[in-house]
Amino acid sequence: MHTHERLVIEPAPEILEASRRWLAPLRSALGAEFLSAYLTGSVLTHGFHPRRSRINVLVIARSLGGGGLDAIVGALPRGGKPAFEPMFVTRSEIENSLDVFAIEWLDIQERHLLLEGEDVFAGLVIPHDALRLQCEHELRGRHLRLRQAYVLSHGRSDQLAATLRSAASGLATLFRTLLRLRGEVPPANSRVIERVAEIYRLDAAALLGPHRLRHSGHRPKGDEIDATFRRLLVELDRLIAAVDELAER
């Protein structure tokens, strides 16, 4: 069982007000089937930008069968600013997928803000074994895709840099999960990467490569991008081996 410290930055009042306005017609359309709605993702972090970022909303229903989906389609607000990106799910789908979406539900559990309704995530227990297995699966998949991108895009530093930048967010989620597996509460910044490197005796600078590319104004040249990519691949390979060994403990 894991205990959870909420890693939430309170959104601005105007964002909360806009979110509740956006939700109102959907809650009305779902009627008695509505259970709860949460803000999730970047809107709860310092990195959120109201003009560039989307607001992620998780809407949980008792059921989405029958005419539920058509009711949502008819009531879903379109266009406008800020932009919203909803996900619709039932409580039973969450409870029955804790073993296959362990990372996703854990990430939401540790960083969410209840907009309206019942707190479905309160007391939800993520299986430790499922968390480790999915973490290894995701790390192996990302390592393979990154290696493939390095081979196919070699010599095109702009494409390699874009690949690294796009990998940063997903890797950060996995790094937070790795700390959870150790029973630690992950920090809400790049310190999580440094802590993973410290625990698993890895090169922190190599693991920080995608994060720095995404969040700094630095535009490295081709040779530097190649080196950053190669170092990341080496450290991910070492990390995968370490996570695989956790299954034997």
Side-chain angles (χ1 to χ4, degrees):
M1 180 183 295
H2 297 273
T3 57
H4 303 280
E5 179 178 302
R6 297 287 308 286
L7 306 176
V8 171
I9 305 300
E10 186 81 14
E14 58 269 24
I15 295 296
L16 287 173
E17 182 181 348
S19 300
R20 292 190 171 105
R21 282 200 310 269
W22 177 90
L23 177 64
L26 292 169
R27 177 166 190 169
S28 178
L30 283 168
E33 297 303 308
F34 176 85
L35 266 178
S36 54
Y38 297 89
L39 292 183
T40 68
S42 67
V43 71
L44 305 177
T45 71
H46 288 297
F48 178 76
H49 192 291
R51 282 183 291 191
R52 294 197 299 266
S53 306
R54 290 179 174 271
I55 299 175
N56 297 99
V57 185
L58 177 67
V59 180
I60 304 176
R62 290 182 174 84
S63 169
L64 290 171
L69 285 181
D70 289 337
I72 288 171
V73 170
L76 187 65
R78 314 281 179 176
K81 292 289 183 180
F84 288 86
E85 188 165 313
M87 181 169 72
F88 301 94
V89 66
T90 67
R91 172 155 55 188
S92 63
E93 286 171 339
I94 293 174
E95 294 171 345
N96 294 331
S97 63
L98 292 177
D99 55 344
V100 291
F101 294 143
I103 292 174
E104 290 81 358
W105 296 134
L106 178 62
D107 204 47
I108 290 174
Q109 186 181 51
E110 71 180 21
R111 187 167 61 202
H112 66 260
L113 189 148
L114 181 65
L115 273 178
E116 291 189 33
E118 176 185 341
D119 191 355
V120 174
F121 284 96
L124 203 65
V125 177
I126 310 295
H128 185 276
D129 290 344
L131 198 61
R132 190 215 64 79
L133 184 61
Q134 190 188 358
C135 192
E136 182 182 344
H137 173 86
E138 293 289 336
L139 279 169
R140 289 187 183 278
R142 288 177 189 278
H143 184 259
L144 289 171
R145 290 191 294 274
L146 285 168
R147 185 167 60 196
Q148 185 80 348
Y150 180 78
V151 171
L152 296 180
S153 300
H154 193 263
R156 289 173 284 182
S157 59
D158 56 337
Q159 291 188 21
L160 290 177
T163 298
L164 287 173
R165 282 193 292 268
S166 67
S169 179
L171 287 172
T173 297
L174 294 177
F175 294 151
R176 289 196 300 272
T177 302
L178 287 170
L179 294 188
R180 285 291 188 195
L181 284 170
R182 298 274 302 210
E184 298 188 18
V185 176
N189 51 39
S190 63
R191 174 63 185 153
V192 68
I193 305 173
E194 295 167 349
R195 180 60 182 148
V196 166
E198 183 180 339
I199 290 172
Y200 293 100
R201 299 181 181 179
L202 304 173
D203 181 351
L207 293 182
L208 280 164
H211 174 85
R212 286 174 172 160
L213 266 176
R214 180 168 181 168
H215 296 287
S216 77
H218 179 52
R219 292 293 179 265
K221 296 182 179 179
D223 289 346
E224 188 178 346
I225 288 290
D226 287 353
T228 299
F229 220 113
R230 288 194 301 270
R231 291 172 67 196
L232 176 65
L233 289 173
V234 168
E235 295 310 298
L236 286 181
D237 191 42
R238 295 177 61 202
L239 181 58
I240 289 165
V243 174
D244 184 52
E245 289 177 2
L246 293 177
E248 302 172 4
R249 299 179 183 177

